[in-house]
Amino acid sequence: GGRRINKVEQSRKNQSGDWTMVRRRGVLSGSQQAENESNSEVVEDNSDKSQIETLVPGKVESRLRVEMGDQSTTRNASNKSNLENIVANRFASNPEFFVNAFKFTLCFLGLQASYLTWGYMQELIMTTQFDPTPSVPTGKFPSAAFCVFSNRFLAVIVAIICVKIRHGAVFANNKAPLAAFTPCALSNTMSSWSQYASLKYVSFPVQTVFKSSKIIPVMLMGLALKGTKYPRSQYAEAVFITIGVAIFSMQSKTPKSDQNDNTDLIGLVFLLLYICFDSFTSQWQDRVYTKYGRSNVDPYQMMLGVNSSAIIITTAGLIVSGDVPIILEFLTRNPLALYYNIVTAITSASGQLCIFYTIKEFGPIAFTIIMTTRQMFSITISAIVFGHQISGRALIGAIIVFSVLFYQIQRKFNARKMKKQNQNGTAGN
């Protein structure tokens, strides 16, 4: 009997020990599971947390603190990098957009810097009171032809470099003879000369707005030279632009003691000469492209041909008119005038390069938008620097002109967009 009691007690002890081991294994396996799952979950129940801390002192507590801290740091880092990730993802998904945006920004800044400086220097040359010389007692710059010559001289050098780089030779690959560029070179020279000369009689803002009305002679030249017909809407646009120009010109007159109606009339004549010659230039250039093929005459060859002929014409004009000794005497006495002409020539050449690149990369519509905004900036700068007063009525005329210009841009954009859609539709069918 005693042996049986001892065996039962021993059996109970063994069972008790087994249950204790089971409990301990359960708790240990539970704590281990908590440790394993704590990488993804945070224990929020305080009673469970205290129980685990009691069973495994120090270890779980430190693990929870580290992991909670790591999660907080990860969230903060994630919030900070959200914007960077968005930008990086968009650039990675569409790098061409950012490249084109960068190119367009360069074109915009290049055109604005070149032609704003060019226009400012033009007015500065023709309106500055320099030191008088025996041949020029008034102190005004004596020759608009020399300004044209300096611009063409540098333009020829730049064109030679560009053609040499692009084609490997200067004149060997030219399909169009130099004589083909002579008519537009002559008209281009005369338009530039008229533009400089007009600044002696009218303000730069008047000249800038007036130049916008050349759409009428451009259409007339296109009709005469190529038989081009234009829709009635374009004639209506031309009429509104002319009205706006007339309002701006009449309301921007600032009478001076040495200025009368005769000088205003002379300035108007020079402006009319400018827009007529300039309209002929663009139409003749298009005629050269059409006759010899755009694949055989690129813009740089056009630049070389026109400016080569123009430099011959301006040089002959300076010699025949007898302006050469007068100019040399004036520039020797006034080196600042020479500096002004050099800056004007540089900005004119850089502007032409920016024109070719902008049209090549983004087309004529984007170029027109940039140049239209440039006109507005030029008027503002000229009015501030040279003290030209623009009345409210004159401002209305300017608003009419630029509103029509931007409407033209939108119309051309819609037409090109519709043309592309039709082409895609035809290709799909």
Side-chain angles (χ1 to χ4, degrees):
R3 290 179 180 178
R4 290 180 181 178
I5 292 173
N6 291 334
K7 288 181 180 181
V8 172
E9 289 180 355
Q10 185 66 34
S11 176
R12 288 178 180 176
K13 289 180 180 181
N14 292 337
Q15 291 178 0
S16 177
D18 292 340
W19 282 111
T20 302
M21 291 297 298
V22 170
R23 288 175 185 173
R24 288 178 182 176
R25 288 175 183 174
V27 172
L28 289 175
S29 61
S31 62
Q32 185 65 38
Q33 183 178 1
E35 289 182 14
N36 294 334
E37 293 177 354
S38 62
N39 292 327
S40 58
E41 295 181 359
V42 178
V43 179
E44 298 181 353
D45 185 71
N46 292 329
S47 60
D48 293 342
K49 180 181 176 181
S50 61
Q51 181 180 1
I52 294 174
E53 291 174 353
T54 303
L55 293 172
V56 188
K59 185 175 181 181
V60 177
E61 181 180 4
S62 60
R63 174 68 63 88
L64 288 173
R65 287 178 181 176
V66 170
E67 291 173 354
M68 292 175 69
D70 290 342
Q71 289 181 357
S72 177
T73 304
T74 303
R75 291 193 185 100
N76 292 335
S78 177
N79 293 333
K80 289 181 181 179
S81 62
N82 278 341
L83 182 60
E84 297 176 359
N85 290 335
I86 292 174
V87 173
N89 291 335
R90 290 186 177 180
F91 183 82
S93 61
N94 193 10
E96 185 178 355
F97 170 79
F98 289 91
V99 172
N100 287 333
F102 179 73
K103 288 182 179 179
F104 184 80
T105 302
L106 290 181
C107 291
F108 181 86
L109 295 178
L111 286 169
Q112 298 293 347
S114 297
Y115 282 106
L116 288 177
T117 306
W118 179 67
Y120 170 75
M121 297 306 298
Q122 273 188 318
E123 189 169 10
L124 197 61
I125 291 171
M126 304 308 295
T127 60
T128 298
Q129 187 73 37
F130 296 101
D131 293 336
T133 62
S135 302
V136 188
T138 60
K140 294 290 186 179
F141 194 81
S143 178
F146 179 79
C147 297
V148 180
F149 169 81
S150 61
N151 289 349
R152 300 299 174 268
F153 180 78
L154 184 60
V156 166
I157 296 175
V158 173
I160 289 174
I161 295 173
C162 292
V163 172
K164 178 68 175 178
I165 294 174
R166 188 174 182 86
H167 299 283
V170 179
F171 292 104
N173 296 323
N174 288 6
K175 301 297 182 181
L178 189 62
F181 303 100
T182 301
C184 60
L186 177 60
S187 62
N188 179 259
T189 301
M190 292 303 299
S191 66
S192 299
W193 177 80
S194 302
Q195 182 179 5
Y196 276 103
S198 67
L199 289 174
K200 294 181 179 180
Y201 307 99
V202 298
S203 66
F204 184 80
V206 171
Q207 183 198 78
T208 302
V209 176
F210 195 93
K211 285 157 62 175
S212 302
S213 64
K214 69 180 181 181
I215 181 175
I216 295 178
V218 166
M219 296 168 69
L220 295 177
M221 289 293 178
L223 180 63
L225 295 177
K226 300 185 299 181
T228 306
K229 295 182 180 181
Y230 301 93
R232 293 181 179 179
S233 59
Q234 292 192 22
Y235 286 103
E237 293 169 3
V239 170
F240 278 109
I241 288 178
T242 304
I243 293 173
V245 168
I247 294 174
F248 186 88
S249 301
M250 295 299 296
Q251 298 299 323
S252 296
K253 293 173 62 175
T254 54
K256 300 178 182 178
S257 58
D258 60 342
Q259 188 172 347
N260 50 43
D261 292 337
N262 290 332
T263 58
D264 289 337
L265 181 60
I266 294 173
L268 178 63
V269 170
F270 279 125
L271 289 175
L272 288 173
L273 288 174
Y274 163 76
I275 62 175
C276 290
F277 283 122
D278 192 61
S279 302
F280 178 86
T281 300
S282 59
Q283 293 292 342
W284 189 269
Q285 287 177 330
D286 189 65
R287 182 174 177 175
V288 171
Y289 282 128
T290 303
K291 182 177 180 179
Y292 296 97
R294 294 185 180 273
S295 59
N296 298 321
V297 181
D298 65 13
Y300 301 106
Q301 291 172 323
M302 176 67 73
M303 181 180 178
L304 176 61
V306 172
N307 287 291
S308 297
S309 297
I311 200 71
I312 298 173
I313 295 171
T314 53
T315 302
L318 288 171
I319 295 173
V320 171
S321 64
D323 282 351
V324 175
I326 298 174
I327 287 294
L328 292 176
E329 178 190 62
F330 190 85
L331 294 179
T332 303
R333 182 68 179 273
N334 298 279
L336 186 62
L338 178 61
Y339 169 75
Y340 288 167
N341 276 276
I342 292 174
V343 175
T344 305
I346 292 173
T347 53
S348 176
S350 64
Q352 290 186 54
L353 294 177
C354 290
I355 287 175
F356 295 148
Y357 185 77
T358 302
I359 294 176
K360 175 187 174 183
E361 292 290 330
F362 302 102
I365 295 178
F367 167 72
T368 305
I369 294 174
I370 296 175
M371 296 304 287
T372 303
T373 57
R374 190 270 303 179
Q375 290 179 321
M376 301 171 68
F377 293 150
S378 296
I379 292 174
T380 304
I381 292 174
S382 178
I384 294 173
V385 175
F386 295 97
H388 301 305
Q389 295 181 358
I390 301 177
S391 64
R393 294 179 180 178
L395 189 61
I396 292 175
I399 291 174
I400 293 174
V401 172
F402 287 111
S403 297
V404 176
L405 292 178
F406 280 112
Y407 171 77
Q408 288 178 338
I409 293 171
Q410 183 183 16
R411 175 175 56 78
K412 292 177 182 179
F413 174 79
N414 292 334
R416 288 171 64 90
K417 184 178 180 180
M418 184 66 67
K419 183 178 179 180
K420 287 184 178 180
Q421 290 178 350
N422 293 335
Q423 291 176 349
N424 294 334
T426 304
N429 295 332

